[in-house]
Amino acid sequence: MNRPVFAAALLASVSLAASAAHARPMTPEDVARLQSIGTMAVAPDGSRVAFTTAALPDVTKGEKDGTTRQVLKIAAAPDAARAFLPEDINPGSIAFSPDGTMVTFLWAKPDEKRSVWGVPVDGGAYRKLAGLKDSNVRAYRVSPDGSMVYMLTDAALDDQRDTQAKAGFDARVYEEELTMARMFAARIGAEIDPSPSQIAVPGHVSAFRLTPDGKAAIIETAPTPLVDDSYTSKRVNVFDLASGKVRAVVETLGKIDDVEISPDGKQLSLIAGVDQYDPAPTTLHLVDVATGTFRALNAEAAEATVDAEWLADGRLAAIIHKGVQSRLRIYNADGSVAEEHDPGELILTAIDAGGSRIVVAANAPQHPTELFNFTGGRFERWTRHNPWLSEVTFGKQRAYSFTARDGQKIEGVLIEPVGGIPRKGGVPTIMNVHGGPEAHESNGWQTAYSKPGQVAAAKGYAVFLPNYRGSTGYGVAFAKQHQGDYGGKEFDDIVDAKRALVADGITDAARTGITGGSYGGYASAWGATYYSAEYAASVMFVGISNNLSKFGTTDIPNEMYLVHERKWPWEEWDHLLDRSPIFHVDKATTPILIMHGDSDPRVHPSQSLELYRNIKTRKPAVPLRLVFYPGEGHGNNRAASRYDYNLRMMEWFDTYLKTGNRSAAMPAPRPQLAEGAKGAKPVAKGK
């Protein structure tokens, strides 16, 4: 399917001689300039592949701060892509027109709303195809005959509300002033359709696809635009475009993800949860379009379906993650397995197809996500970003398993320090805990602004990324093991991982740290309080510190109940308090750096403030710092915020974890920026 796969990319291999000649450590400045595959699409006849290269401004070289920008490229062979649009165009949602002559995309021209544009693949100027004067287009699909474009747009502007706000009457009514997306149909011609026709749709539509005959749309709807509804109440509908009536509803009870339509229009593939309590949509289903009935293909398997795409011959290709590895599986139209392919060290993350061509996005331990063409049972690399990474020396990376205290086998990814593990004593180790917890780590590229990865390996650290209980990739039953047990067996697993690594001579018990974001931030706060004796340093990002107040300040209260705790707070006040890091501040001796976006709607910034205030008041001798990022949400999007985060994280670990000194002096409030970054302090020159 055509979906974003934001990650980064680098050369897969270099000669040993070149590696030895140019070896150097990976740095935060390297992380700041990584490029990646953004989205990808295959032409209907398979002759071309369009994709975007995504990158942030390189603030380490003085570029203006900003968010991710994308460049459209088209390729017909390996290493032969060329850019198709001016540099100032930042395209999104790329696709091929049904006849393959044009690549379409979303873009907002300066002083205009986001609209649908197209650029001919054989040369020619890009042009606007359709749009509205008063609303941004969120998503679009071109009809199979190429004559119409269907658009999902924002709600119409409320002129009265805008006038009131300009006059100072700008109060907002929380969760009441919601606006539904709208759907329109516009003719494609030499001139832009001045009056697209609105199509009444049920509920809030977040995504849609057209059936091969162009007569119906497969729409994803929820009762409201609330995030909680998108998690717990979204349904797939077969919607008749002519009558405006719903033909069939796919009555799944759990979360839903990718939906694709078979070439004959008779079936859907649907990645969804098996029930309303399933933490994540990871099970592949087949749906009868005529009736909406569905059946699961891999509900009992210890795996997770990540993406799927129908092939021109009527078969279905799916990316499957099994633990820390991945597979490409191809199903027959009846749901039986036709073939399965092991990509070796590649971690497949997304797939698209056209004609006889199948392409995937994939990463590996020594390269972030690139574009690969699957042909003859082989994965052929088509893109090679970031050639400068051939200079970098990497720490060895591998799968690592251990047995938890109750006998449960747990797996994860271990990155060894550059140069390997010494024979005695072990090395400082960072436990890098993923969020969710309905997510998982794969044995692929593991370095990012908030993930120490190879930057830490270059500094002599080992990094372990545990797939603790509650993780996906090991089946629904494993993912449900954390339910009703906040901070229990799931975080015991991380301590048990540490003890196993110590027993294997990898980790220094006195120099083990912990970091993570969201639920991983909760683990980091728990590690700095309840399990403080185990961790010499902690870096907590957008994390939870008080399960009672978290419920009242989050945008996903129903999701928390259904797939996490399975009880409401008023049913277990004391238990939730006991599983809150603030309740265990009396045990805290771990130096902790807390970072949070000040506009986070998922885990309110007050969660970080509560932990900060409790530690600062009750344990004033513990090294403690709280950093807020203005305008950032549940994760940092701007280049400067990401670079700053990476610098602070590594500086904190260097100060407290590498030394093992919990009483070391605090780092300076402002990190040392690269010389080329704007605002960097001048570096003193030796005589």
Side-chain angles (χ1 to χ4, degrees), residues 518-546:
S518 193
Y519 212 83
Y522 175 27
S524 302
W526 193 251
T529 53
Y530 181 86
Y531 268 134
S532 187
E534 300 286 348
Y535 299 108
S538 175
V539 177
M540 171 191 178
F541 187 37
V542 294
I544 302 158
S545 69
N546 183 344

Side-chain angles (χ1 to χ4, degrees), residues 310-333:
W310 289 95
L311 307 181
D313 62 9
R315 296 186 300 166
L316 177 66
I319 292 174
I320 306 294
H321 282 196
K322 288 177 169 284
V324 300
Q325 301 300 333
S326 70
R327 297 286 188 275
L328 174 61
R329 183 180 298 158
I330 298 179
Y331 291 89
N332 293 313

Side-chain angles (χ1 to χ4, degrees), residues 252-311:
T252 50
L253 296 177
K255 298 179 180 179
I256 67 172
D257 189 17
D258 179 46
V259 185
E260 302 292 341
I261 309 170
S262 64
D264 62 8
K266 295 180 179 180
Q267 291 194 99
L268 305 178
S269 65
L270 169 63
I271 301 175
V274 298
D275 57 40
Q276 63 183 328
Y277 305 115
D278 191 343
T282 60
T283 299
L284 183 62
H285 298 74
L286 289 181
V287 181
D288 183 344
V289 170
T291 64
T293 57
F294 58 94
R295 60 189 177 95
L297 299 184
N298 60 342
E300 304 299 325
E303 60 189 36
T305 312
V306 174
D307 197 11
E309 184 72 21
W310 289 95
L311 307 181

Side-chain angles (χ1 to χ4, degrees), residues 89 232 281 324 376 384 430 444 562 615:
I89 292 181
T232 65
V324 300
R384 298 179 185 277
I430 301 170
L562 288 170
I615 294 176

Side-chain angles (χ1 to χ4, degrees), residues 30-188:
D30 290 328
V31 177
R33 60 180 174 139
L34 287 167
Q35 296 183 344
S36 72
I37 295 295
T39 57
M40 59 186 187
V42 181
D45 64 359
S47 62
R48 296 178 174 91
V49 180
F51 64 93
T52 59
T53 292
L56 288 160
D58 187 356
V59 292
T60 73
K61 301 296 185 183
E63 293 183 11
K64 184 179 179 181
D65 187 28
T67 56
T68 300
R69 292 189 60 81
Q70 304 197 59
V71 176
L72 172 65
K73 297 180 180 180
I74 301 178
D79 304 312
R82 65 186 184 92
F84 257 69
L85 293 169
E87 291 185 358
D88 61 344
I89 292 181
N90 184 18
S93 302
I94 65 168
F96 276 92
S97 59
D99 62 5
T101 63
M102 181 180 295
V103 172
T104 56
F105 58 94
L106 291 180
W107 176 53
K109 188 177 181 180
D111 300 321
E112 292 186 11
K113 297 297 182 179
R114 187 166 57 247
S115 302
V116 184
W117 295 71
V119 59
V121 298
D122 290 323
Y126 61 93
R127 68 184 182 95
K128 188 175 180 178
L129 302 178
L132 298 180
K133 293 182 179 180
D134 65 346
S135 297
N136 286 314
V137 177
R138 299 181 179 183
Y140 70 96
R141 300 282 172 174
V142 177
S143 63
D145 64 4
S147 66
M148 304 286 290
V149 58
Y150 293 85
M151 302 175 290
L152 196 63
T153 77
D154 292 342
L157 293 177
D158 185 336
D159 292 334
Q160 182 184 20
R161 186 75 177 85
D162 187 51
T163 299
Q164 290 176 343
K166 290 178 179 178
F169 300 99
D170 55 0
R172 293 182 299 111
V173 182
Y174 186 62
E175 293 189 349
E176 286 188 39
E177 297 183 291
L178 305 175
T179 56
M180 301 289 198
R182 299 178 295 166
M183 182 176 279
F184 288 86
R187 297 185 305 276
I188 297 178

Side-chain angles (χ1 to χ4, degrees), residues 608-655:
S608 288
L609 187 59
E610 284 193 50
L611 185 60
Y612 172 83
R613 186 60 64 205
N614 276 274
I615 294 176
K616 188 175 181 66
T617 304
R618 193 170 184 182
K619 288 297 195 74
V622 175
L624 168 71
R625 174 164 290 157
L626 173 59
V627 178
F628 283 126
Y629 288 99
E632 297 288 11
H634 198 57
N636 291 351
N637 288 318
R638 293 186 296 105
S641 297
R642 291 187 172 195
Y643 176 48
D644 180 273
Y645 182 100
N646 196 273
L647 290 174
R648 291 181 186 277
M649 172 177 65
M650 293 314 306
E651 185 179 45
W652 195 263
F653 283 136
D654 287 348
T655 302

